[in-house]
Amino acid sequence: MEANEQHILEILIGAGLINEEFAGRIIEKIEETGDRVIDAITDSGLVTRMEMIETLASHQGMEAIHLDPDTLDPMILGMVPPDIARRFRAVPVSHRDNTLHIAISDPFDVDTLDSLRFALKDVDVEPVVAAQVEIDAAIKQFYAEDGEIDRMFGDMTEAVLDISGDGPANMFDDQGSVTEDDAPIIKLVSLIIMEAFRNRASDIHIEPMERELRVRYRIDGVLHKVESPPKRLQAAIVQRLKIMSNMQIAEKRIPQDGRIQINVMGRDLDLRVSTIPATHGESVVMRILDKEALQLGLPQLGFYTDDQGTFERMIGLSDGILLVTGPTGSGKTTTLYACLNEINKPDRKIITVEDPVEYQMSGINQVHVRSDIGLTFSAVLRSMLRQAPNIIMIGEIRDLETAEIAVNASLTGHLVFSTLHTNDAPSAVTRLTDIGVKPFLVASSLRAAIAQRLVRKICEKCKEPHAVTDQENHLLGPLAAQLSGAELYEGAGCDDCSFTGYKGRQGLFEIFVVNEEVQHMIYEQIPSAGLRTKARELGMRTLREDGLRKVIAGSTTLAEVFRVTLGDAS
């Protein structure tokens, strides 16, 4: 019999709940059956489980509670990952003043308390005591048995959707205020956001179909369908999101944009919300903007040492234009913000003009474009130069007027960051001249263009060797020789990566540096193919070549590199 259990018997005897003779019989039973002392005493019927819990908790200076699953908040539950809840058989019940109260069954289990405090070091952990059977029931109901994201709702949906009446039609009054009956919808919307963040999603898509309300999360660039709420709750969910993002809830005929600021699991998140009217109702997309992503260093973005050195030299210049190119969703904005974070010093004034402002950063003046009132990119840029900034970031160069102001700013001593939509880095030159910028201005102002793509990283938990196939060799062509002797890997799929074989993403980069020789070629209006050839001679790696370096390093797969560099033949 363990010392802890002997101590429990002594406390119960001291409290008068049992006598020594009864304790002796309990010890004999434990030695025969291997039961826990609390279970053995409860089975006897002499003392109730709650009486024992209250006595033991009081002895340790803790609070004893009855754990009612209907009172648990999904947002609070999300502060403890499922694996920790299951491993330590503990459930969070409340969160106040950065203190997380967690229900445990054994108030004497110091090791479990220490482990919980270490695992949840972002908050102060305060234990409360509840019956183990109640804790286990809550874990079974609220935490999925495995890591598959499409099972995350399960019984929880039923727990938070106890809605009576004729449906959601009357859940919001004429002013859009929240009534007592709205609590289940509030919980459900919070759950959707919380689970998206917990599963590392970058976007939440809530899409009305003919017979269902489809919810999908974009995780590592790929959409995953999850178990969705009932179709009858569609209007209430959309209205709740509109209220949270300060949209007009009565307006359903035109697209709207908004923003939600929320704290999830101790992290401050910005959600950029967009609605658009579709055939079967309003479709909602929420872009999750995690401010901690801005703290990423260049190596975490995917830069290797040599490319990082080149990039740091570029962002350290005093003037000129630095462009980041790539398709939508390729991480251009994250890279730009990581640059701004790197050079955000007290002796520099930084102004950004964006549509919309994606991340809100301290120490930086950020302007949100509003075309409806005449606050366009070009209008803001003209006024911005009178603010005497050192560094300017333009969300995207879209037209000649914006491009010309950016060029003029760079030629008058400002460092300008911006993005373009091109397939590779040298094509940025062609894109600017196609917009209407004079070639000699491009040659004088452009310092570098960086093409970027995102590839998924192999899950480290299920990583295993992979042999190159004949088809992959054929697709690689002359580059196949670079893989000679290299050991490649792929993910087999496990709980940790939701059986995808991938977890997280990193960038592939193609850095096109404009030196004097390239400047002359731009001035001579040499096509982008010629610029690309010259850049390769000067040492530029293509996106596919950078991808192969990361394949050889074991961080991604050939399939991923092929997926994002399909148009890059070399």
Side-chain angles (χ1 to χ4, degrees), residues 59-89:
H59 184 274
Q60 292 297 97
M62 299 178 186
E63 179 187 358
I65 65 167
H66 167 60
L67 194 61
D68 182 2
D70 291 336
T71 65
L72 296 178
D73 187 341
M75 291 293 289
I76 304 298
L77 290 164
M79 298 182 71
V80 176
D83 59 329
I84 291 178
R86 292 194 296 266
R87 186 191 318 158
F88 298 113
R89 298 176 79 182

PDB file of all heavy atoms in Angstrom, residues 59-89:
ATOM      1  N   HIS A  59      -8.042  19.434   4.054  1.00  0.00           N
ATOM      2  CA  HIS A  59      -6.771  19.153   4.727  1.00  0.00           C
ATOM      3  C   HIS A  59      -5.603  19.785   3.982  1.00  0.00           C
ATOM      4  O   HIS A  59      -4.619  20.242   4.581  1.00  0.00           O
ATOM      5  CB  HIS A  59      -6.573  17.647   4.851  1.00  0.00           C
ATOM      6  CG  HIS A  59      -5.333  17.250   5.610  1.00  0.00           C
ATOM      7  ND1 HIS A  59      -4.093  17.129   5.004  1.00  0.00           N
ATOM      8  CD2 HIS A  59      -5.135  16.981   6.934  1.00  0.00           C
ATOM      9  CE1 HIS A  59      -3.195  16.785   5.905  1.00  0.00           C
ATOM     10  NE2 HIS A  59      -3.797  16.679   7.096  1.00  0.00           N
ATOM     11  N   GLN A  60      -5.701  19.849   2.621  1.00  0.00           N
ATOM     12  CA  GLN A  60      -4.627  20.409   1.785  1.00  0.00           C
ATOM     13  C   GLN A  60      -4.841  21.879   1.455  1.00  0.00           C
ATOM     14  O   GLN A  60      -4.087  22.464   0.681  1.00  0.00           O
ATOM     15  CB  GLN A  60      -4.518  19.608   0.476  1.00  0.00           C
ATOM     16  CG  GLN A  60      -4.019  18.175   0.650  1.00  0.00           C
ATOM     17  CD  GLN A  60      -2.609  18.116   1.200  1.00  0.00           C
ATOM     18  OE1 GLN A  60      -2.429  17.948   2.406  1.00  0.00           O
ATOM     19  NE2 GLN A  60      -1.605  18.275   0.336  1.00  0.00           N
ATOM     20  N   GLY A  61      -5.899  22.475   2.011  1.00  0.00           N
ATOM     21  CA  GLY A  61      -6.173  23.881   1.732  1.00  0.00           C
ATOM     22  C   GLY A  61      -6.696  24.109   0.335  1.00  0.00           C
ATOM     23  O   GLY A  61      -6.499  25.190  -0.254  1.00  0.00           O
ATOM     24  N   MET A  62      -7.357  23.121  -0.239  1.00  0.00           N
ATOM     25  CA  MET A  62      -7.899  23.231  -1.592  1.00  0.00           C
ATOM     26  C   MET A  62      -9.422  23.258  -1.559  1.00  0.00           C
ATOM     27  O   MET A  62     -10.054  22.892  -0.562  1.00  0.00           O
ATOM     28  CB  MET A  62      -7.434  22.058  -2.467  1.00  0.00           C
ATOM     29  CG  MET A  62      -5.931  21.957  -2.635  1.00  0.00           C
ATOM     30  SD  MET A  62      -5.487  20.506  -3.646  1.00  0.00           S
ATOM     31  CE  MET A  62      -3.702  20.523  -3.516  1.00  0.00           C
ATOM     32  N   GLU A  63     -10.009  23.658  -2.684  1.00  0.00           N
ATOM     33  CA  GLU A  63     -11.462  23.690  -2.820  1.00  0.00           C
ATOM     34  C   GLU A  63     -11.938  22.380  -3.435  1.00  0.00           C
ATOM     35  O   GLU A  63     -11.319  21.843  -4.360  1.00  0.00           O
ATOM     36  CB  GLU A  63     -11.874  24.864  -3.712  1.00  0.00           C
ATOM     37  CG  GLU A  63     -13.373  24.966  -3.939  1.00  0.00           C
ATOM     38  CD  GLU A  63     -13.743  26.028  -4.953  1.00  0.00           C
ATOM     39  OE1 GLU A  63     -12.824  26.719  -5.450  1.00  0.00           O
ATOM     40  OE2 GLU A  63     -14.948  26.171  -5.261  1.00  0.00           O
ATOM     41  N   ALA A  64     -13.030  21.839  -2.926  1.00  0.00           N
ATOM     42  CA  ALA A  64     -13.641  20.646  -3.513  1.00  0.00           C
ATOM     43  C   ALA A  64     -14.844  21.081  -4.347  1.00  0.00           C
ATOM     44  O   ALA A  64     -15.613  21.955  -3.936  1.00  0.00           O
ATOM     45  CB  ALA A  64     -14.084  19.684  -2.417  1.00  0.00           C
ATOM     46  N   ILE A  65     -14.997  20.488  -5.520  1.00  0.00           N
ATOM     47  CA  ILE A  65     -16.099  20.872  -6.400  1.00  0.00           C
ATOM     48  C   ILE A  65     -16.796  19.641  -6.953  1.00  0.00           C
ATOM     49  O   ILE A  65     -16.230  18.534  -6.992  1.00  0.00           O
ATOM     50  CB  ILE A  65     -15.607  21.730  -7.591  1.00  0.00           C
ATOM     51  CG1 ILE A  65     -14.677  20.908  -8.500  1.00  0.00           C
ATOM     52  CG2 ILE A  65     -14.939  22.997  -7.115  1.00  0.00           C
ATOM     53  CD1 ILE A  65     -14.396  21.562  -9.838  1.00  0.00           C
ATOM     54  N   HIS A  66     -18.045  19.853  -7.348  1.00  0.00           N
ATOM     55  CA  HIS A  66     -18.758  18.856  -8.154  1.00  0.00           C
ATOM     56  C   HIS A  66     -18.608  19.273  -9.610  1.00  0.00           C
ATOM     57  O   HIS A  66     -18.983  20.386  -9.981  1.00  0.00           O
ATOM     58  CB  HIS A  66     -20.230  18.801  -7.749  1.00  0.00           C
ATOM     59  CG  HIS A  66     -21.090  18.036  -8.719  1.00  0.00           C
ATOM     60  ND1 HIS A  66     -20.869  16.710  -9.007  1.00  0.00           N
ATOM     61  CD2 HIS A  66     -22.149  18.429  -9.469  1.00  0.00           C
ATOM     62  CE1 HIS A  66     -21.764  16.306  -9.901  1.00  0.00           C
ATOM     63  NE2 HIS A  66     -22.548  17.337 -10.193  1.00  0.00           N
ATOM     64  N   LEU A  67     -18.037  18.420 -10.428  1.00  0.00           N
ATOM     65  CA  LEU A  67     -17.710  18.773 -11.815  1.00  0.00           C
ATOM     66  C   LEU A  67     -18.910  18.490 -12.712  1.00  0.00           C
ATOM     67  O   LEU A  67     -19.228  17.341 -13.008  1.00  0.00           O
ATOM     68  CB  LEU A  67     -16.490  17.966 -12.277  1.00  0.00           C
ATOM     69  CG  LEU A  67     -15.804  18.432 -13.562  1.00  0.00           C
ATOM     70  CD1 LEU A  67     -15.288  19.844 -13.414  1.00  0.00           C
ATOM     71  CD2 LEU A  67     -14.653  17.493 -13.898  1.00  0.00           C
ATOM     72  N   ASP A  68     -19.569  19.575 -13.140  1.00  0.00           N
ATOM     73  CA  ASP A  68     -20.737  19.464 -14.021  1.00  0.00           C
ATOM     74  C   ASP A  68     -20.310  19.817 -15.447  1.00  0.00           C
ATOM     75  O   ASP A  68     -19.964  20.979 -15.725  1.00  0.00           O
ATOM     76  CB  ASP A  68     -21.832  20.414 -13.542  1.00  0.00           C
ATOM     77  CG  ASP A  68     -23.094  20.323 -14.392  1.00  0.00           C
ATOM     78  OD1 ASP A  68     -23.122  19.498 -15.328  1.00  0.00           O
ATOM     79  OD2 ASP A  68     -24.045  21.085 -14.113  1.00  0.00           O
ATOM     80  N   PRO A  69     -20.311  18.878 -16.370  1.00  0.00           N
ATOM     81  CA  PRO A  69     -19.857  19.149 -17.748  1.00  0.00           C
ATOM     82  C   PRO A  69     -20.603  20.289 -18.425  1.00  0.00           C
ATOM     83  O   PRO A  69     -20.039  21.013 -19.243  1.00  0.00           O
ATOM     84  CB  PRO A  69     -20.102  17.821 -18.474  1.00  0.00           C
ATOM     85  CG  PRO A  69     -20.114  16.793 -17.392  1.00  0.00           C
ATOM     86  CD  PRO A  69     -20.688  17.469 -16.183  1.00  0.00           C
ATOM     87  N   ASP A  70     -21.874  20.500 -18.067  1.00  0.00           N
ATOM     88  CA  ASP A  70     -22.664  21.542 -18.717  1.00  0.00           C
ATOM     89  C   ASP A  70     -22.187  22.946 -18.368  1.00  0.00           C
ATOM     90  O   ASP A  70     -22.529  23.920 -19.050  1.00  0.00           O
ATOM     91  CB  ASP A  70     -24.141  21.404 -18.336  1.00  0.00           C
ATOM     92  CG  ASP A  70     -24.762  20.152 -18.940  1.00  0.00           C
ATOM     93  OD1 ASP A  70     -24.227  19.682 -19.968  1.00  0.00           O
ATOM     94  OD2 ASP A  70     -25.747  19.651 -18.387  1.00  0.00           O
ATOM     95  N   THR A  71     -21.406  23.069 -17.301  1.00  0.00           N
ATOM     96  CA  THR A  71     -20.925  24.397 -16.894  1.00  0.00           C
ATOM     97  C   THR A  71     -19.524  24.698 -17.422  1.00  0.00           C
ATOM     98  O   THR A  71     -19.017  25.800 -17.206  1.00  0.00           O
ATOM     99  CB  THR A  71     -20.912  24.503 -15.357  1.00  0.00           C
ATOM    100  OG1 THR A  71     -19.945  23.578 -14.823  1.00  0.00           O
ATOM    101  CG2 THR A  71     -22.289  24.185 -14.777  1.00  0.00           C
ATOM    102  N   LEU A  72     -18.899  23.738 -18.089  1.00  0.00           N
ATOM    103  CA  LEU A  72     -17.531  23.942 -18.556  1.00  0.00           C
ATOM    104  C   LEU A  72     -17.524  24.773 -19.837  1.00  0.00           C
ATOM    105  O   LEU A  72     -18.338  24.568 -20.734  1.00  0.00           O
ATOM    106  CB  LEU A  72     -16.849  22.593 -18.801  1.00  0.00           C
ATOM    107  CG  LEU A  72     -16.650  21.723 -17.559  1.00  0.00           C
ATOM    108  CD1 LEU A  72     -16.009  20.396 -17.929  1.00  0.00           C
ATOM    109  CD2 LEU A  72     -15.799  22.438 -16.521  1.00  0.00           C
ATOM    110  N   ASP A  73     -16.583  25.708 -19.918  1.00  0.00           N
ATOM    111  CA  ASP A  73     -16.460  26.622 -21.051  1.00  0.00           C
ATOM    112  C   ASP A  73     -15.455  26.058 -22.060  1.00  0.00           C
ATOM    113  O   ASP A  73     -14.308  25.778 -21.698  1.00  0.00           O
ATOM    114  CB  ASP A  73     -15.972  27.984 -20.553  1.00  0.00           C
ATOM    115  CG  ASP A  73     -15.978  29.050 -21.646  1.00  0.00           C
ATOM    116  OD1 ASP A  73     -16.001  28.680 -22.840  1.00  0.00           O
ATOM    117  OD2 ASP A  73     -15.940  30.238 -21.306  1.00  0.00           O
ATOM    118  N   PRO A  74     -15.870  25.868 -23.325  1.00  0.00           N
ATOM    119  CA  PRO A  74     -14.920  25.346 -24.327  1.00  0.00           C
ATOM    120  C   PRO A  74     -13.654  26.178 -24.463  1.00  0.00           C
ATOM    121  O   PRO A  74     -12.578  25.650 -24.734  1.00  0.00           O
ATOM    122  CB  PRO A  74     -15.745  25.376 -25.624  1.00  0.00           C
ATOM    123  CG  PRO A  74     -17.159  25.289 -25.179  1.00  0.00           C
ATOM    124  CD  PRO A  74     -17.221  26.019 -23.876  1.00  0.00           C
ATOM    125  N   MET A  75     -13.762  27.516 -24.286  1.00  0.00           N
ATOM    126  CA  MET A  75     -12.575  28.359 -24.375  1.00  0.00           C
ATOM    127  C   MET A  75     -11.586  28.018 -23.261  1.00  0.00           C
ATOM    128  O   MET A  75     -10.377  28.018 -23.464  1.00  0.00           O
ATOM    129  CB  MET A  75     -12.976  29.835 -24.294  1.00  0.00           C
ATOM    130  CG  MET A  75     -13.747  30.330 -25.501  1.00  0.00           C
ATOM    131  SD  MET A  75     -12.733  30.345 -26.994  1.00  0.00           S
ATOM    132  CE  MET A  75     -11.626  31.697 -26.619  1.00  0.00           C
ATOM    133  N   ILE A  76     -12.099  27.750 -22.057  1.00  0.00           N
ATOM    134  CA  ILE A  76     -11.229  27.365 -20.936  1.00  0.00           C
ATOM    135  C   ILE A  76     -10.643  25.988 -21.183  1.00  0.00           C
ATOM    136  O   ILE A  76      -9.450  25.739 -20.962  1.00  0.00           O
ATOM    137  CB  ILE A  76     -12.017  27.392 -19.609  1.00  0.00           C
ATOM    138  CG1 ILE A  76     -12.644  28.764 -19.375  1.00  0.00           C
ATOM    139  CG2 ILE A  76     -11.117  26.998 -18.443  1.00  0.00           C
ATOM    140  CD1 ILE A  76     -11.649  29.890 -19.256  1.00  0.00           C
ATOM    141  N   LEU A  77     -11.468  25.067 -21.661  1.00  0.00           N
ATOM    142  CA  LEU A  77     -10.991  23.708 -21.943  1.00  0.00           C
ATOM    143  C   LEU A  77      -9.851  23.727 -22.955  1.00  0.00           C
ATOM    144  O   LEU A  77      -8.932  22.916 -22.893  1.00  0.00           O
ATOM    145  CB  LEU A  77     -12.143  22.845 -22.467  1.00  0.00           C
ATOM    146  CG  LEU A  77     -13.228  22.498 -21.440  1.00  0.00           C
ATOM    147  CD1 LEU A  77     -14.477  22.010 -22.140  1.00  0.00           C
ATOM    148  CD2 LEU A  77     -12.733  21.457 -20.456  1.00  0.00           C
ATOM    149  N   GLY A  78      -9.917  24.682 -23.895  1.00  0.00           N
ATOM    150  CA  GLY A  78      -8.890  24.759 -24.927  1.00  0.00           C
ATOM    151  C   GLY A  78      -7.537  25.198 -24.406  1.00  0.00           C
ATOM    152  O   GLY A  78      -6.536  25.091 -25.120  1.00  0.00           O
ATOM    153  N   MET A  79      -7.470  25.680 -23.180  1.00  0.00           N
ATOM    154  CA  MET A  79      -6.186  26.108 -22.628  1.00  0.00           C
ATOM    155  C   MET A  79      -5.315  24.930 -22.213  1.00  0.00           C
ATOM    156  O   MET A  79      -4.127  25.097 -21.940  1.00  0.00           O
ATOM    157  CB  MET A  79      -6.409  27.053 -21.443  1.00  0.00           C
ATOM    158  CG  MET A  79      -7.147  28.336 -21.822  1.00  0.00           C
ATOM    159  SD  MET A  79      -7.353  29.488 -20.451  1.00  0.00           S
ATOM    160  CE  MET A  79      -5.655  30.060 -20.246  1.00  0.00           C
ATOM    161  N   VAL A  80      -5.915  23.742 -22.126  1.00  0.00           N
ATOM    162  CA  VAL A  80      -5.150  22.524 -21.820  1.00  0.00           C
ATOM    163  C   VAL A  80      -5.250  21.593 -23.015  1.00  0.00           C
ATOM    164  O   VAL A  80      -6.339  21.147 -23.363  1.00  0.00           O
ATOM    165  CB  VAL A  80      -5.685  21.827 -20.551  1.00  0.00           C
ATOM    166  CG1 VAL A  80      -4.954  20.518 -20.312  1.00  0.00           C
ATOM    167  CG2 VAL A  80      -5.536  22.737 -19.343  1.00  0.00           C
ATOM    168  N   PRO A  81      -4.137  21.283 -23.682  1.00  0.00           N
ATOM    169  CA  PRO A  81      -4.177  20.368 -24.828  1.00  0.00           C
ATOM    170  C   PRO A  81      -4.732  19.005 -24.431  1.00  0.00           C
ATOM    171  O   PRO A  81      -4.543  18.561 -23.290  1.00  0.00           O
ATOM    172  CB  PRO A  81      -2.708  20.267 -25.248  1.00  0.00           C
ATOM    173  CG  PRO A  81      -2.071  21.521 -24.728  1.00  0.00           C
ATOM    174  CD  PRO A  81      -2.791  21.826 -23.444  1.00  0.00           C
ATOM    175  N   PRO A  82      -5.402  18.322 -25.355  1.00  0.00           N
ATOM    176  CA  PRO A  82      -6.018  17.031 -25.039  1.00  0.00           C
ATOM    177  C   PRO A  82      -5.034  16.002 -24.483  1.00  0.00           C
ATOM    178  O   PRO A  82      -5.386  15.246 -23.572  1.00  0.00           O
ATOM    179  CB  PRO A  82      -6.590  16.570 -26.393  1.00  0.00           C
ATOM    180  CG  PRO A  82      -6.796  17.820 -27.156  1.00  0.00           C
ATOM    181  CD  PRO A  82      -5.720  18.751 -26.730  1.00  0.00           C
ATOM    182  N   ASP A  83      -3.803  15.958 -25.034  1.00  0.00           N
ATOM    183  CA  ASP A  83      -2.866  14.941 -24.560  1.00  0.00           C
ATOM    184  C   ASP A  83      -2.496  15.160 -23.095  1.00  0.00           C
ATOM    185  O   ASP A  83      -2.322  14.200 -22.334  1.00  0.00           O
ATOM    186  CB  ASP A  83      -1.607  14.916 -25.440  1.00  0.00           C
ATOM    187  CG  ASP A  83      -0.890  16.261 -25.465  1.00  0.00           C
ATOM    188  OD1 ASP A  83      -1.570  17.290 -25.351  1.00  0.00           O
ATOM    189  OD2 ASP A  83       0.350  16.265 -25.601  1.00  0.00           O
ATOM    190  N   ILE A  84      -2.392  16.430 -22.679  1.00  0.00           N
ATOM    191  CA  ILE A  84      -2.070  16.717 -21.272  1.00  0.00           C
ATOM    192  C   ILE A  84      -3.254  16.373 -20.376  1.00  0.00           C
ATOM    193  O   ILE A  84      -3.094  15.774 -19.299  1.00  0.00           O
ATOM    194  CB  ILE A  84      -1.672  18.201 -21.112  1.00  0.00           C
ATOM    195  CG1 ILE A  84      -0.328  18.444 -21.807  1.00  0.00           C
ATOM    196  CG2 ILE A  84      -1.598  18.593 -19.648  1.00  0.00           C
ATOM    197  CD1 ILE A  84       0.141  19.881 -21.754  1.00  0.00           C
ATOM    198  N   ALA A  85      -4.466  16.727 -20.819  1.00  0.00           N
ATOM    199  CA  ALA A  85      -5.657  16.407 -20.024  1.00  0.00           C
ATOM    200  C   ALA A  85      -5.795  14.906 -19.824  1.00  0.00           C
ATOM    201  O   ALA A  85      -6.099  14.440 -18.710  1.00  0.00           O
ATOM    202  CB  ALA A  85      -6.903  16.976 -20.704  1.00  0.00           C
ATOM    203  N   ARG A  86      -5.564  14.143 -20.900  1.00  0.00           N
ATOM    204  CA  ARG A  86      -5.698  12.687 -20.787  1.00  0.00           C
ATOM    205  C   ARG A  86      -4.565  12.078 -19.982  1.00  0.00           C
ATOM    206  O   ARG A  86      -4.780  11.163 -19.182  1.00  0.00           O
ATOM    207  CB  ARG A  86      -5.757  12.072 -22.183  1.00  0.00           C
ATOM    208  CG  ARG A  86      -7.025  12.405 -22.961  1.00  0.00           C
ATOM    209  CD  ARG A  86      -7.182  11.505 -24.173  1.00  0.00           C
ATOM    210  NE  ARG A  86      -6.121  11.704 -25.126  1.00  0.00           N
ATOM    211  CZ  ARG A  86      -6.194  12.521 -26.170  1.00  0.00           C
ATOM    212  NH1 ARG A  86      -7.290  13.230 -26.362  1.00  0.00           N
ATOM    213  NH2 ARG A  86      -5.186  12.657 -27.013  1.00  0.00           N
ATOM    214  N   ARG A  87      -3.340  12.591 -20.181  1.00  0.00           N
ATOM    215  CA  ARG A  87      -2.190  12.003 -19.496  1.00  0.00           C
ATOM    216  C   ARG A  87      -2.282  12.180 -17.981  1.00  0.00           C
ATOM    217  O   ARG A  87      -2.021  11.269 -17.208  1.00  0.00           O
ATOM    218  CB  ARG A  87      -0.901  12.633 -20.013  1.00  0.00           C
ATOM    219  CG  ARG A  87       0.370  11.972 -19.456  1.00  0.00           C
ATOM    220  CD  ARG A  87       1.600  12.791 -19.783  1.00  0.00           C
ATOM    221  NE  ARG A  87       1.578  13.293 -21.151  1.00  0.00           N
ATOM    222  CZ  ARG A  87       2.278  14.335 -21.559  1.00  0.00           C
ATOM    223  NH1 ARG A  87       3.055  14.995 -20.701  1.00  0.00           N
ATOM    224  NH2 ARG A  87       2.229  14.733 -22.816  1.00  0.00           N
ATOM    225  N   PHE A  88      -2.696  13.391 -17.538  1.00  0.00           N
ATOM    226  CA  PHE A  88      -2.725  13.676 -16.108  1.00  0.00           C
ATOM    227  C   PHE A  88      -4.125  13.542 -15.511  1.00  0.00           C
ATOM    228  O   PHE A  88      -4.298  13.770 -14.312  1.00  0.00           O
ATOM    229  CB  PHE A  88      -2.179  15.077 -15.849  1.00  0.00           C
ATOM    230  CG  PHE A  88      -0.753  15.263 -16.263  1.00  0.00           C
ATOM    231  CD1 PHE A  88      -0.413  16.112 -17.305  1.00  0.00           C
ATOM    232  CD2 PHE A  88       0.263  14.558 -15.639  1.00  0.00           C
ATOM    233  CE1 PHE A  88       0.908  16.276 -17.697  1.00  0.00           C
ATOM    234  CE2 PHE A  88       1.589  14.720 -16.025  1.00  0.00           C
ATOM    235  CZ  PHE A  88       1.910  15.573 -17.059  1.00  0.00           C
ATOM    236  N   ARG A  89      -5.101  13.168 -16.352  1.00  0.00           N
ATOM    237  CA  ARG A  89      -6.488  12.997 -15.910  1.00  0.00           C
ATOM    238  C   ARG A  89      -6.922  14.231 -15.120  1.00  0.00           C
ATOM    239  O   ARG A  89      -7.310  14.154 -13.951  1.00  0.00           O
ATOM    240  CB  ARG A  89      -6.631  11.716 -15.081  1.00  0.00           C
ATOM    241  CG  ARG A  89      -6.298  10.467 -15.878  1.00  0.00           C
ATOM    242  CD  ARG A  89      -6.341   9.227 -15.021  1.00  0.00           C
ATOM    243  NE  ARG A  89      -7.703   8.769 -14.792  1.00  0.00           N
ATOM    244  CZ  ARG A  89      -7.997   7.708 -14.024  1.00  0.00           C
ATOM    245  NH1 ARG A  89      -7.031   7.045 -13.439  1.00  0.00           N
ATOM    246  NH2 ARG A  89      -9.245   7.343 -13.858  1.00  0.00           N
TER     247      ARG A  89
END
